Structure formats: C-alpha cells, structure tokens
Amino acid sequence: MAISADTARTVVGIIGNVISLFLFLSPVPTFVRIWKKKSVEQYSAVPYLATLVNCLVWTLYGLPMVHPGSILVVTINGSGTAIECAYIILFLIFCDKKKRLKVVLVVLLELIFIGVLTLLVLSLAHTHKKRSTVVGTICILFNIMMYASPLAVMKLVITTKSVEFMPFFLSFASLANGVAWTTYALIRFDPFITIPNGLGTLFGVAQLILYGTYYKSTQRLLAERKLNAKEVNLSEVVVADQEQHKKAANGHASQNH
C-alpha cells in the first residue's frame, strides 16, 4: 500500500517536532545551574532572545492565513516560543538591573516587530502566496543570523583543536533536525523551509566532521590538563609539607633556646 505525500509529510513533521523540542530543551541544565546559584553569572541572554524572535516569525509563517497546511510548523515554534519565554523569565529573575533593562527592551522590540509584521502582512498582502513570500523571506534571514552561533563554535574547535565546547549529541541532534525539516519541506516543496534547514544540515555535517577530526586531540588535551592538575596539587602538598617542617623546626629551635 502506497503512502500518500501528505501522510509522509505529517510523519516527518512529527519527527521534526520531537527533535526540535529536544534542541529547545537542551539549555535546561544551564538554567538549573542559574537557579541553584541564584545568578546568571557570565551567561548571555542573546541566544534565547534570538531563538524567541525566530520562533515567533516561524509561528506566524505556519498560520493558516499565511501558509495553509503547516500546522506542524506552528506546533513546534509555538512550543519553542513558550520555552524561550520561560528561559527569559528565569534570566530576568536572576540577572542584575542593568542586564534586566536591556533584556526587557529587546523583548518589547521583538513583540512590536512581530505585531507590526503581522498587521502589515495581513492587511497589505491579500494572497497566501504573497504572505508566505514576505514572512518566509524574513524567516530565512533570521535563521541565517542564528547560524552565526555554530560558525563561532566551529571556529573555536579549529583554533583550539578541541571539541570540548561542541557536545557531540547537540551536534548530532542539529544534523537530525536539519535533515527532518529539509525532508518535510521537499515532500511538498517549500523553499522557505528548505533553504534554512538545508544550511542547518550542512552545518551539522561539518560539525560531525570536525568532531571526528579533533576527537583524539581533544582526549589528549584533556588527559594533559588532568595530569597538570595532579602535578599542581602534588606540588602544593609538597610545599605545605615543607612549610610544616619549617614551623616544626622553628618550634624546636625556640624551645632549645
């Protein structure tokens, strides 16, 4: 029995939703740490603010009045919007006043932007094709801006010859996410979903190639660091012992006098 294109697209879209949800939830350990320490420390709100506006634009794109038949785009990006809002609220609770003001201003700007975009698209573009083109183009631009993050990490890997700050499972999930959504977009061709997720797939492949290339050198660097830490600890113990012996010797000397 042949599977229809719509059924295949729905199945792939559900898989894409599950993988994307995993990616949205990947910063949870960071926020558990922030909650425990009652401080955002050196963490930046930029990734969460960038993801929030990205999710808002994609939610708009998937709405029936903009691009019909894209409910799975709405479900995952609607969920992503809620998750990013939770992250930002936690960030606001535990950051200082200066950071709090900046984050609140950026969120307000993002909400104004999405409000104005929605109003203009729905009132000035009167066909689904025009609305999809306008919102889809903005979606691609935001997605490309978000790819600056993997590029920065990849540069760090090449510079340090270490994959320590590029977790394997996150890179693998990014690749799986790109493949799932590119497949979803190709079943019933949608260039606005294909282009950014095609790029995401390429970046995912590049990250895994880097991981394979620098895995051994990373293990070597970590082993050297561990050894150095042991040597430092050992030298501290030796110095402490020497100081104790000196004190003991001085004590004996004073008693003799």
Side-chain angles (χ1 to χ4, degrees):
M1 184 178 149
I3 298 169
S4 69
D6 283 341
T7 306
R9 197 169 187 258
T10 302
V11 171
V12 173
I14 291 166
I15 293 166
N17 268 243
V18 173
I19 298 167
S20 296
L21 189 64
F22 169 77
L23 285 172
F24 285 138
L25 292 172
S26 61
V28 165
T30 299
F31 282 90
V32 168
R33 176 178 168 145
I34 288 170
W35 181 274
K36 284 179 179 174
K37 298 240 180 182
K38 307 294 181 197
S39 167
V40 297
E41 298 175 299
Q42 298 302 310
Y43 290 111
S44 169
V46 172
Y48 315 109
L49 292 166
T51 308
L52 175 63
V53 73
N54 193 58
C55 286
L56 285 168
V57 176
W58 276 109
T59 303
L60 175 62
Y61 178 82
L63 292 175
M65 63 280 282
V66 177
H67 195 83
S70 301
I71 193 66
L72 289 167
V73 175
V74 176
T75 53
I76 190 55
N77 286 288
S79 302
T81 300
I83 292 165
E84 298 308 318
C85 283
Y87 292 153
I88 290 165
I89 289 165
L90 282 170
F91 197 93
L92 288 171
I93 291 168
F94 296 113
C95 69
D96 57 53
K97 281 185 181 178
K98 195 178 175 185
K99 276 184 182 175
R100 191 173 295 138
L101 183 64
K102 282 182 182 176
V103 172
V104 168
L105 283 173
V106 173
V107 170
L108 283 173
L109 284 170
E110 289 181 353
L111 292 175
I112 291 165
F113 169 76
I114 202 73
V116 170
L117 178 63
T118 304
L119 194 68
L120 290 175
V121 166
L122 296 181
S123 58
L124 299 178
H126 301 295
T127 65
H128 288 139
K129 191 178 178 183
K130 282 180 183 175
R131 289 172 181 175
S132 296
T133 303
V134 173
V135 181
T137 304
I138 292 167
C139 285
I140 289 172
L141 292 173
F142 276 115
N143 262 110
I144 289 169
M145 279 161 61
M146 280 185 71
Y147 287 135
S149 171
L151 280 173
V153 174
M154 287 159 73
K155 186 187 175 187
L156 183 68
V157 169
I158 294 165
T159 308
T160 60
K161 294 184 170 30
S162 169
V163 291
E164 189 181 353
F165 298 105
M166 192 178 75
F168 173 79
F169 288 108
L170 204 57
S171 299
F172 181 77
S174 299
L175 172 62
N177 188 60
V179 169
W181 285 107
T182 304
T183 307
Y184 173 88
L186 289 173
I187 291 170
R188 184 165 286 175
F189 187 63
D190 184 334
F192 301 110
I193 298 178
T194 304
I195 292 167
N197 287 289
L199 279 171
T201 302
L202 289 174
F203 281 124
V205 169
Q207 283 180 47
L208 290 184
I209 289 169
L210 282 177
Y211 198 92
T213 306
Y214 294 113
Y215 178 77
K216 283 184 179 176
S217 60
T218 305
Q219 296 306 306
R220 197 162 55 246
L221 285 167
L222 291 173
E224 282 172 11
R225 197 183 301 162
K226 216 171 184 179
L227 191 66
N228 289 338
K230 279 182 182 175
E231 284 173 359
V232 168
N233 289 337
L234 193 65
S235 65
E236 283 174 358
V237 169
V238 170
V239 169
D241 281 346
Q242 284 174 348
E243 284 177 358
Q244 279 180 346
H245 284 308
K246 275 181 187 176
K247 282 178 184 176
N250 290 336
H252 285 307
S254 62
Q255 279 174 8
N256 291 336
H257 285 300

